[in-house]
Amino acid sequence: MSKPPAGGDPTKGAKIFKQRCAQCHTTEKGGKHKTGPNLNGLIGRKTGQAKGFTYTAANQNKGITWGEDTLFIYLQNPKKFIPGTKMVFAGLKKENERADLIAFLKEATSTKP
């Protein structure tokens, strides 16, 4: 499946982010890069484009724009989606967990006021 199931729960997604992602990523506007880039403004941004973060050539050259569909595939197995990425996260195999995380990311990384 390449499309996230409807109705991801951002509250559950926040818990997944805290447990699986927050060690390497931040979401707030102006947040620091850690091992991974700050994710603010993620939705609608092309791969490898967070200012001030050093990406692999594989990530910079992937050339896709992050959206629900692309994140849903990526979060299942990042190294398969972008061979050569330095992201060590193994992925989320459960579709509902990916949908919940994406629902959270849509809210937490929005650049809208």
Side-chain angles (χ1 to χ4, degrees):
M1 176 181 232
S2 63
K3 195 165 181 89
D9 183 333
T11 301
K12 289 180 182 176
K15 290 178 185 175
I16 294 168
F17 185 86
K18 185 176 181 182
Q19 293 170 347
R20 308 284 299 271
C21 312
Q23 180 178 347
C24 297
H25 295 282
T26 58
T27 58
E28 68 276 356
K29 185 172 184 162
K32 292 182 180 181
H33 296 306
K34 293 182 172 182
T35 303
N38 171 276
L39 300 177
N40 193 265
L42 174 69
I43 306 296
R45 183 169 68 207
K46 287 197 177 284
T47 54
Q49 301 300 312
K51 291 186 180 185
F53 186 77
T54 305
Y55 288 94
T56 62
N59 203 299
Q60 291 174 330
N61 297 331
K62 181 67 177 181
I64 59 106
T65 300
W66 291 122
E68 291 180 58
D69 293 354
T70 51
L71 282 169
F72 191 72
I73 299 166
Y74 178 73
L75 290 170
Q76 182 178 15
N77 187 340
K79 288 191 180 295
K80 182 177 179 183
F81 190 70
I82 303 180
T85 184
K86 62 183 174 182
M87 187 158 144
V88 296
F89 180 62
L92 294 171
K93 303 309 176 211
K94 295 180 181 176
E95 291 182 0
N96 62 315
E97 288 183 351
R98 282 182 277 147
D100 293 342
L101 180 58
I102 290 166
F104 167 75
L105 289 172
K106 281 175 60 180
E107 290 183 2
T109 66
S110 174
T111 57
K112 296 177 184 172

